[in-house]
Amino acid sequence: MYSSINKLAQAKVCAGILPQLSPKLTSHLHTSAALCRVVSGKYRITKKRDRPLTYEMANPPHYIAHRKSWNSWNTSNLKGGLRRSETAVEDEFIRRFMGGTWHGLVCSEVIIKRQFNHIRVAAIIRRAVSPSKMYFLLGYTEELLANWLQCPVTLELQTVDSFKDVVFKF
């Protein structure tokens, strides 16, 4: 339908009829095609299939609550919820702190679950360090986050041998 209107408008312009029409019609007539592609938040499969994708990355954002879950579980985003901005900033701080403390060991997304005054942080970690160092990092992370956020923090970590165990598809 739009292409026929565009052709009619172009024919009228060529015939010199368009200047006789009202100025509103001439100023609001667009002839470019509409771009209706949504590509943000989607990971693409490469032609060589050399970039591994986890389950979280393989499912696009519109499958949240259908195939995959939210990365932050809290009630502050509901209508009338308290501390919306503070919760978002704290969640980002926790994710960056986990990435820096467990450098190169985090294989999946960091999931943050808030229940009352308790924060639970879940992630999948590689077994690349000794158990004693892993226990130290676990206690170190829980203590520092608990002191900074002023509430109890519990880490729920799962371990895998390598990053290849978390790959869903290439």
Side-chain angles (χ1 to χ4, degrees), residues 76 82-92 114 149:
S76 65
L82 303 174
R83 299 180 31 130
R84 293 179 184 182
S85 59
E86 291 92 347
T87 302
V89 170
E90 285 176 0
D91 287 355
E92 185 62 27
R114 294 175 181 262
L149 301 174

Side-chain angles (χ1 to χ4, degrees), residues 101-102 105 129 133-142 155:
T101 304
W102 298 84
L105 298 176
V129 296
K133 186 172 182 181
M134 191 166 293
Y135 285 127
F136 169 76
L137 287 174
L138 183 78
Y140 172 81
T141 305
E142 285 181 354
L155 290 182

Side-chain angles (χ1 to χ4, degrees), residues 9-100:
Q10 289 172 356
K12 288 183 180 182
V13 169
C14 294
I17 300 172
L18 193 59
Q20 297 172 357
L21 298 174
S22 69
K24 287 185 178 179
L25 180 64
T26 59
S27 64
H28 294 290
L29 184 63
H30 299 284
T31 59
S32 63
L35 296 174
C36 297
R37 287 187 64 198
V38 179
V39 294
S40 64
K42 294 182 181 178
Y43 292 90
R44 293 195 146 194
I45 299 171
T46 58
K47 289 183 180 181
K48 295 180 182 179
R49 305 231 182 238
D50 57 349
R51 183 173 44 173
L53 298 178
T54 62
Y55 187 78
E56 291 280 330
M57 297 164 74
N59 288 307
H62 61 271
Y63 282 125
I64 292 177
H66 297 284
R67 287 189 194 169
K68 67 180 191 177
S69 182
W70 288 272
N71 289 339
S72 291
W73 288 80
N74 57 51
T75 57
S76 65
N77 291 333
L78 298 175
K79 185 176 179 182
L82 303 174
R83 299 180 31 130
R84 293 179 184 182
S85 59
E86 291 92 347
T87 302
V89 170
E90 285 176 0
D91 287 355
E92 185 62 27
F93 173 76
I94 291 170
R95 285 191 179 90
R96 289 185 184 207
F97 183 76
M98 285 288 294

